[in-house]
Every structure is written in structure tokens, then in C-alpha cells.
Amino acid sequence: MKILKFGGTSMASASKMKEVVRLINKEEGKKIVVFSAFSKTTNTLIEISDYLYKKNVDAANEIINQLEAKYNQLILDVYVDEFYLNEAQNLISSHFQSIRAYTKDLFTLFEEKIILAQGEILSSTLMYLLMKEQNRNVVLIDALSFMRTDKNFEPDSTYIKEKLQKQLDAFPDADIYVTQGYITRNAYGEIDNLERGGSDLTASLIGAAVQAEEIQIWTDVDGMQNNDPRYVENTSPVRRLLFEEAAELAYFGAKILHPTCILPAKLNNIPVRLLNTMQPESQGTLISNKMEKGKMKAVAAKDGITAIKIKSGRMLLAHGFLRKVFEIFENYQTSIDMIVTSEVGVSVTVDNEKYLADILNDLKKYGTVTVDEKMTIVCVVGDLEWDNIGFESKTVGALKDIPVRMISYGGSNYNISFLIKTEDKKRTLQALSDNLFKN
Ligand code: ADP
Ligand code: ASP
Ligand code: MG
């Protein structure tokens, strides 16, 4: 069994939807196909929810009408058979009616999650109808019948495995099983989601649950690029990545992958292939447990970082100082990304400012606290084992004209990270590309 996940950008028009079906048909053997919402739909559903939170029902209705019209227009070019066009029209009408039902009453997170789920439900059902129209041996299985997160909002892999298997067993002769990415039920049985970009995680969880031979993530670029193509021109694809390298890149901003989607694949040793729907013949990127010795792979950047420095004259020989500092972050359920220490203090970064004021207040008991906001972590990933001499100086050398607030190296064998001002991000990424990847 193979898992094929298609992102929203891969299905942005009728012709792209048909191309996706062609790619699914080309793949031999049984497969589970995971669909994200069509391009921009989730953003629009969030916009609708924002208006409903603000009780601006007119504005919400205007966007709902526009989105519905867009779907109705789209399907005119998708189906040839009147029957399937009718089915699609009815589907769209009923889902938009249910979205409108939430414009009348109290609007909470509960209702928002239901609205956000409509994107994946619509896309997967429309794709399913298209495959049906082409006489494919396909079934649609509802992700809400097997996806579940636990009380810590972590995927419940035992439950997923058991319930998914039941769904598959109900249709033993099917060739293609279609389902939705991103959406799940939570520990209370409510409709929830795996956060933005979470369809990649769905694909990986399903892959792990069925011990798939491969997980394919189809998107709009030729695999993992060696730098962020949104900021740097002429990036090149990285053909092979170790699971750990891919996880570092995803966590530190390579949007092509959801940060947590590598772990289930790695734990089950299932190769992940990143492929391009616009250039299906390209080889893309293969992520596996095979390390390419001595290679610098890629650069990624994560914004929205805050750096906090705690300086204490008493840190010298003061055992327990770091424990006290870390405990404060733990008390406010705020995780730390980067850490650097010196004899007089410690600097850490966080990407969540929710409890920043409280944290700073508590930290002040232990020293002088300074804060730098609007920062970016830039992370260079590859085989950076410390006996591979020269890589550190090459990366540091690339940043000779850029003010660097923190450097972190040695936490893993795969990454060296720099903290810089977000305003310097583009030139930092470019400088790293120029120095590391130009022959
Ligand atoms: P999908 O809709 O298929 O899930 P995403 O927008 O989530 O697609 O991810 C693909 C996008 O990730 C690319 O279009 C690209 O702009 C962005 N991206 C950021 N960093 C990288 C990188 N290092 N390699 C490839 N793509 C990247
Ligand atoms: N549709 C969701 C989003 O836009 C999930 C995904 O695309 O993976 O974030
Ligand atoms: Mg994505």
C-alpha cells in the first residue's frame, strides 16, 4: 500500500484536478489518497470564522457566497457527465448551507473547527466524484471515523490504526481509498484539526498505521529545495534527506512539510517522497534513514521568534540556576527552541508569546532580563558532525555582514542555527546560498 497526499496548490483548477487523478491512476497497486482543501479555501474559511467571532454576519455571508460561487464555477469544467455534475452541485449546496447555519448563533472555537473541516470534506468528495466518473475502483472513507487526538492534542496512533483498518476491511476489493487530511476528532469526540499544513501529518500517520511501503507528498515544487524558494532565487532540489535532516528543516520553517509529519514515518522506517504535480517526472526528494556523509543539505528560516536573555552575577558556580530558569518556562507551558549559555547568563528563544509577560516577571527574580522581538532562526542542515571540519567556519563566514544575536551548534549532528533580526532574513538566506551551495 502507498499513501499519496495532494496539497491544495496541486488542485487549484479543473485541469489540475484532472492531472491529479491521472497521477493517482498511474501509480500501481493499492493506495490511500489524502487530500488537503483546495488552494486558499482554508484561509477563506478562517476569514469567515473571524467575521463570525466579531458578529459581522454580513461580511461573513458575503465571503461564504463568493466561495460557494467559486466552487460552483470550478465544477462546470470538472465533470463531463450530468449525473456527477449534479452530485457535485448538491454537495456544494449542502455544505455551504451548513456553514451558513453557524452564522446565526453564538460562535466559538467548536463551531470554527467545524467550518474549517469543510475545506477537506469538499475537496476529497469532489475528487472522489471525479474518480467515480472515470470508473475507478474507489471508495471514500471519512477521516473523522478513524483520526483521533488525545487529551494532549497528540495523535492517538493506536486508535487510528485500529479504526482505519476497520474502514479498509469494509472495502477489501477497492483499489483507491480517498480520505481527508488535516481533520480529526479530538479526545472528546469533537471535530478538530491538526493545525495548518496538517494534511502531511495525516498522510504520515496513515502510512504508519498501515505500514505503507511509501508516503508520497505531492506539492507545487520539485521536492525540498536547498533554500526557501519564497525568498531566494535559483534554489535547487535536494535529492536525498535523512529523516532527522527533513525534520529539522520542517521544524525550522521549510513549509513544504508539516513539522511533525516526519516522526511517524521515521519510527516505522517508511520512506517519504516529495514530488511535484507540475513536473511529475522529476525525481523530487527521497527522505529515508540513509545518511549522505559530509553533505550540507539546505537552509530554512522560522519567523516570529523572541529572544530572552537572563544575566546573573550569581550564575558563576551557582548550580541549579538553569533548572530554575527552565522551570519558569515549563510552568507556562512555553517550549524553548534555542539555548546558549555563558558564565554570566543564558539566552533562550521562544516562538510563543502568550505568557511572555508572566515569564519575564518570574525571570526577573534571577537576574537582569532583556528581550529582543521580531527575530528569525535561520538553520543550516546537513551532515554537521563535529569531526567534519570546516562546515562551521563556512556557515559563520557567510554571515560576516549580518548582526547575529545567537549561534547554536552541537545539539544534534544535523544543524547549526543562527538568530538574526527578521528584517535581515532575506539577505541572510541569500548569503548562505551564495557561500554554501554555489560551486
Ligand atoms: P501544499 O499546499 O502542497 O501543502 P505548501 O504551500 O504547504 O503546499 O508547501 C509547498 C511550499 O513550501 C512551496 O510552494 C514553497 O514555497 C514552500 N517552501 C518553503 N521552503 C521550502 C523548501 N526548502 N523547499 C521547497 N518548498 C519550500
Ligand atoms: N487545508 C489545511 C491548511 O491549509 C491543511 C493542509 O493544507 O495541509 O492548512
Ligand atoms: Mg502544506
Side-chain angles (χ1 to χ4, degrees), residues 75-266:
I75 57 167
L76 295 179
D77 297 324
V78 175
Y79 307 96
V80 188
D81 188 323
E82 202 64 28
F83 172 80
Y84 287 99
L85 180 61
N86 265 332
E87 289 277 296
Q89 279 162 339
N90 292 339
L91 175 86
I92 292 167
S93 164
S94 82
H95 281 277
F96 279 89
Q97 267 323 103
S98 69
I99 293 176
R100 283 192 189 90
Y102 295 108
T103 59
K104 302 197 171 57
D105 301 314
L106 181 70
F107 196 75
T108 67
L109 197 59
F110 178 80
E111 284 79 19
E112 179 183 7
K113 297 278 171 72
I114 298 174
I115 288 191
L116 294 190
Q118 303 311 309
E120 269 69 13
I121 298 174
L122 277 168
S123 64
S124 59
T125 316
L126 291 171
M127 293 301 288
Y128 162 76
L129 289 174
L130 181 56
M131 284 182 244
K132 274 298 236 193
E133 189 189 55
Q134 297 185 9
N135 290 319
R136 297 292 145 188
N137 183 8
V138 55
V139 293
L140 179 64
I141 54 179
D142 180 3
L144 298 176
S145 70
F146 63 87
M147 286 295 297
R148 191 166 83 169
T149 52
D150 63 18
K151 287 195 173 144
N152 300 315
F153 303 101
E154 296 290 338
D156 183 342
S157 39
T158 317
Y159 180 97
I160 294 169
K161 189 181 167 103
E162 185 194 323
K163 297 289 179 185
L164 173 61
Q165 198 55 54
K166 270 203 181 131
Q167 294 290 325
L168 301 178
D169 290 346
F171 306 99
D173 300 325
D175 294 328
I176 308 169
Y177 301 89
V178 165
T179 194
Q180 304 86 29
Y182 178 61
I183 64 175
T184 180
R185 288 197 185 274
N186 61 26
Y188 311 99
E190 299 160 346
I191 294 180
D192 207 329
N193 61 59
L194 300 173
E195 299 187 344
R196 296 307 306 271
S199 298
D200 302 334
L201 177 56
T202 307
S204 180
L205 291 166
I206 291 178
V210 301
Q211 288 295 319
E213 73 189 85
E214 179 171 289
I215 299 163
Q216 300 179 353
I217 309 279
W218 287 86
T219 180
D220 62 344
V221 273
D222 184 13
M224 179 71 79
Q225 301 292 301
N226 61 5
N227 208 325
D228 193 325
R230 294 167 299 178
Y231 298 93
V232 174
E233 281 173 21
N234 301 322
T235 59
S236 347
V238 182
R239 294 303 177 201
R240 293 203 72 120
L241 281 172
L242 184 69
F243 284 125
E244 285 79 357
E245 292 172 336
E248 298 266 9
L249 286 167
Y251 185 73
F252 287 108
K255 190 184 171 240
I256 186 168
L257 281 177
H258 184 273
T260 58
C261 83
I262 289 301
L263 189 65
K266 177 183 138 63

Side-chain angles (χ1 to χ4, degrees), residues 5-12 16 20 23 39-40 200 217-225 229-230 255-257 274-280 282:
K5 176 258 167 179
F6 291 90
T9 40
S10 300
M11 301 175 290
K16 285 187 176 172
V20 164
L23 293 171
S39 186
K40 302 201 185 83
D200 302 334
I217 309 279
W218 287 86
T219 180
D220 62 344
V221 273
D222 184 13
M224 179 71 79
Q225 301 292 301
R230 294 167 299 178
K255 190 184 171 240
I256 186 168
L257 281 177
L274 310 181
L275 293 158
N276 184 0
T277 34
M278 320 297 160
Q279 268 172 270
S282 297

Side-chain angles (χ1 to χ4, degrees), residues 264-326:
K266 177 183 138 63
L267 292 177
N268 292 277
N269 198 12
I270 301 168
V272 178
R273 220 178 262 282
L274 310 181
L275 293 158
N276 184 0
T277 34
M278 320 297 160
Q279 268 172 270
E281 313 312 328
S282 297
Q283 47 176 304
T285 301
L286 177 63
I287 306 168
S288 70
N289 62 7
K290 268 216 188 100
M291 175 70 157
E292 283 186 305
K293 276 284 185 202
K295 271 207 172 174
M296 198 87 95
K297 293 296 180 61
V299 179
K302 182 175 169 185
D303 296 335
I305 304 293
T306 303
I308 305 166
K309 187 194 289 173
I310 308 107
K311 247 175 87 176
S312 164
R314 284 165 292 144
M315 190 171 163
L316 184 72
L317 297 181
H319 58 79
F321 173 78
L322 286 176
R323 180 180 55 77
K324 287 179 199 149
V325 166
F326 292 150

